[in-house]
Amino acid sequence: MADQKIPQVTAKRLPLYYRYLEKLHAIGKQRVSSAALAEALQIDPATIRRDFSYLGELGKKGYGYNVNYLLQFLRDFLRQDEVTNVVLIGVGNLGTALLRYNFYRSHNTKIVAGFDIDEGKIGMDIDGVPVYSMNRLKEVLELHSVEVAILTVPVSAAQSTTDQLVNAGIRGILNFTPARLNVPSHIRIHHIDLTVELQTLIYFLKNFPTNESKGEQNG
Amino acid sequence: MADQKIPQVTAKRLPLYYRYLEKLHAIGKQRVSSAALAEALQIDPATIRRDFSYLGELGKKGYGYNVNYLLQFLRDFLRQDEVTNVVLIGVGNLGTALLRYNFYRSHNTKIVAGFDIDEGKIGMDIDGVPVYSMNRLKEVLELHSVEVAILTVPVSAAQSTTDQLVNAGIRGILNFTPARLNVPSHIRIHHIDLTVELQTLIYFLKNFPTNESKGEQNG
DNA sequence: TGCCTTTTGTGATGATATGCACATATTTAT
DNA sequence: ATAAATATGTGCATATCATCACAAAAGGCA
């Protein structure tokens, strides 16, 4: 298995490929070329071929890629057949929206519980997801074998909540707060900083009115 | 002005610096070193110094950076005193959450209007933000000099909505849909793909249990 | 004052990612 | 069967970032 050393950027593009291949499969497409993928996904065809080449020789010269085969390969590689349970901490506006976002339907990632400290929210059921008190954190994580948390608490509570998560055995955090979280080195954190994304977009618009620098297409 | 060629990554870190300097200012700190910033923001001190060096020689050897001076400099550079008006298209769960997120209070970015095609939503007022019909798009954009839109429509409507935005004169789009939008080259798009972020985090957890590769800290 | 400490700004190097360009293999058409 | 068309996989050049390491400058203390 060529599993060993996929570049970070490639790992982030694989779900994109997967999603598009699903679409192709759905409409009955049998084959696809890197050029066609490139057109649809707005990624350079050479980059796409290189990405796939990390996983093995998945295509055939003069033909392209077999949609079914590639789809199945990526499904295995990305372990799309395993459901991954996650929890969400902080059932505010954004938290509630994400609970309702339903990652599950399309991506085998399931939010199995929400947590909050607001008594008024504890006990609620949001689109089938129960909201618990924080002191049931460890219990629920163990029950559902949860290793990943989505953090949507106010920034003031971010670090203390993170400490609780680490304590309860979490391994990955998707952090929507602007706080830079302090965690042991074995914990993985991905930040999504909505304000920074918006500010950066505005910065580039104001300073480079014409789009001369192609610029990355992701947060 | 050294305004010319700031690396993309630097531009994304500047708001982080700005935010932290505000905090330092608030607690009365007069000076700060790159090492201290590094500790707080979890960014290598050399990277921080290099970032600032793109803007000029803002520090003093043996002393560090003057908090007030640096804060003011960044405020000007990032034009934090100008309010930027933006609109949001698609007042669903996520859209509503973002409307309520209140970028304005802390970051001089103001969502002045929401748009939707749902008759039931048109005319609503969400935390002071009015929701309009899509056919008033151009009018409202012009009224408030809006150049940036946040796109939170269902993926099926993403491209057609984008076409309308482009037509109405928008220049930047913060795209929360998984669609790869097709736009003229002078339009700038930043993607925030929540599903990919979550999937990528999970991928790394499953495949690199120990955090041997430091990994980037942002979407 | 003079010396030691601190800390910047940056040259140099290394790491990571992109995309060109082409040899090579396969398909498709005649 | 043969030629033309297609499209992969990858060597290589280029671009972009991160970080080391250190000279130079300024602060701070005795």
Side-chain angles (χ1 to χ4, degrees):
Chain A
M1 187 132 301
D3 190 296
Q4 275 318 58
K5 265 301 177 197
I6 308 294
Q8 298 244 351
V9 279
T10 297
K12 279 186 76 164
R13 283 190 294 258
L14 294 182
L16 259 41
Y17 301 142
Y18 180 73
R19 214 150 56 185
Y20 188 66
L21 286 166
E22 276 187 318
K23 196 150 51 170
L24 290 180
H25 177 68
I27 63 171
K29 267 264 183 194
Q30 297 291 322
R31 54 183 275 193
V32 67
S33 66
S34 62
L37 288 169
E39 166 84 21
L41 300 175
Q42 295 170 36
I43 299 172
D44 188 276
T47 298
I48 295 178
R49 292 198 299 277
R50 173 99 43 199
D51 282 345
F52 291 155
S53 80
Y54 290 122
L55 314 184
E57 308 212 350
L58 305 178
K60 222 185 285 184
K61 302 186 192 212
Y63 176 86
Y65 301 89
N66 178 289
V67 171
N68 283 339
Y69 177 76
L70 188 53
L71 185 60
Q72 186 58 49
F73 188 95
L74 285 178
R75 198 196 318 279
D76 290 350
F77 190 84
L78 296 172
R79 309 211 205 170
Q80 283 295 303
D81 36 11
E82 299 173 17
V83 172
T84 302
N85 291 336
V86 307
V87 297
L88 181 143
I89 321 289
V91 187
N93 288 320
L94 184 58
T96 305
L98 294 180
L99 282 182
R100 296 203 162 116
Y101 195 86
N102 202 349
F103 294 95
Y104 183 43
R105 181 188 298 279
S106 36
H107 300 94
N108 291 19
T109 302
K110 189 173 182 177
I111 303 180
V112 294
F115 290 86
D116 209 296
I117 54 167
D118 181 344
E119 289 293 338
K121 286 171 185 164
I122 295 167
M124 277 175 55
D125 175 299
I126 297 177
D127 279 17
V129 181
V131 179
Y132 298 109
S133 152
M134 280 300 284
N135 52 36
R136 295 188 59 189
L137 184 60
K138 198 156 190 167
E139 167 199 343
V140 175
L141 291 192
E142 278 163 14
L143 178 63
H144 295 285
S145 309
V146 174
E147 301 191 312
V148 175
I150 300 172
L151 189 66
T152 48
V153 300
V155 61
S156 55
Q159 184 61 55
S160 65
T161 307
T162 299
D163 295 344
Q164 291 178 262
L165 285 169
V166 170
N167 222 278
I170 214 76
R171 289 181 48 228
I173 297 175
L174 188 58
N175 175 25
F176 281 87
T177 83
R180 311 312 275 190
L181 304 175
N182 236 302
V183 292
S185 70
H186 65 282
I187 308 277
R188 184 161 190 115
I189 296 183
H190 281 210
H191 292 276
I192 298 185
D193 193 321
L194 301 177
T195 314
V196 167
E197 296 300 333
L198 192 51
Q199 276 191 296
T200 306
L201 172 58
I202 291 169
Y203 170 82
F204 278 109
L205 284 181
K206 285 193 175 165
N207 291 280
F208 308 101
T210 317
N211 197 3
E212 85 281 36
S213 77
K214 253 208 79 189
E216 33 75 273
Q217 288 248 316
N218 207 310
Chain B
M1 188 129 300
D3 190 297
Q4 275 318 57
K5 265 301 177 196
I6 309 294
Q8 298 244 351
V9 278
T10 297
K12 280 186 75 164
R13 282 190 294 259
L14 294 181
L16 260 41
Y17 302 141
Y18 179 73
R19 216 150 54 186
Y20 188 67
L21 285 166
E22 276 187 317
K23 197 151 52 172
L24 290 180
H25 178 70
I27 63 171
K29 267 263 182 193
Q30 298 290 321
R31 56 183 274 195
V32 67
S33 67
S34 62
L37 287 170
E39 167 84 21
L41 299 175
Q42 295 169 35
I43 298 172
D44 189 277
T47 299
I48 294 177
R49 292 199 299 278
R50 173 96 46 196
D51 281 346
F52 290 155
S53 81
Y54 291 120
L55 313 183
E57 308 212 350
L58 306 178
K60 224 186 285 185
K61 302 183 192 217
Y63 176 86
Y65 301 88
N66 178 289
V67 170
N68 284 340
Y69 177 77
L70 188 53
L71 185 60
Q72 186 58 51
F73 189 95
L74 285 178
R75 199 194 319 278
D76 290 349
F77 191 84
L78 296 173
R79 311 212 204 168
Q80 283 295 303
D81 36 12
E82 301 173 17
V83 172
T84 302
N85 291 336
V86 308
V87 296
L88 181 144
I89 321 289
V91 187
N93 289 320
L94 184 57
T96 304
L98 294 181
L99 282 182
R100 296 204 162 116
Y101 195 87
N102 203 349
F103 294 95
Y104 184 42
R105 180 189 297 281
S106 35
H107 299 93
N108 291 22
T109 303
K110 188 173 183 178
I111 302 181
V112 294
F115 290 85
D116 208 296
I117 54 167
D118 182 343
E119 289 293 337
K121 287 171 184 162
I122 294 167
M124 278 175 56
D125 176 299
I126 297 177
D127 279 17
V129 181
V131 179
Y132 298 109
S133 151
M134 280 300 284
N135 53 37
R136 296 188 58 190
L137 184 60
K138 197 155 190 168
E139 166 199 345
V140 175
L141 292 191
E142 277 162 15
L143 177 63
H144 295 285
S145 308
V146 174
E147 301 191 312
V148 175
I150 300 172
L151 189 65
T152 48
V153 299
V155 61
S156 55
Q159 184 61 56
S160 65
T161 307
T162 300
D163 295 344
Q164 290 178 263
L165 285 169
V166 170
N167 222 277
I170 215 77
R171 288 181 49 228
I173 297 176
L174 188 59
N175 175 25
F176 281 88
T177 81
R180 311 313 275 190
L181 304 175
N182 236 300
V183 293
S185 71
H186 65 281
I187 308 278
R188 184 161 189 114
I189 296 183
H190 281 209
H191 291 276
I192 299 185
D193 193 322
L194 301 177
T195 314
V196 166
E197 296 299 334
L198 192 51
Q199 277 191 294
T200 306
L201 172 58
I202 291 168
Y203 170 81
F204 279 109
L205 283 181
K206 286 194 175 165
N207 291 281
F208 309 100
T210 317
N211 198 1
E212 83 280 37
S213 79
K214 255 206 80 188
E216 34 73 275
Q217 288 247 316
N218 207 311

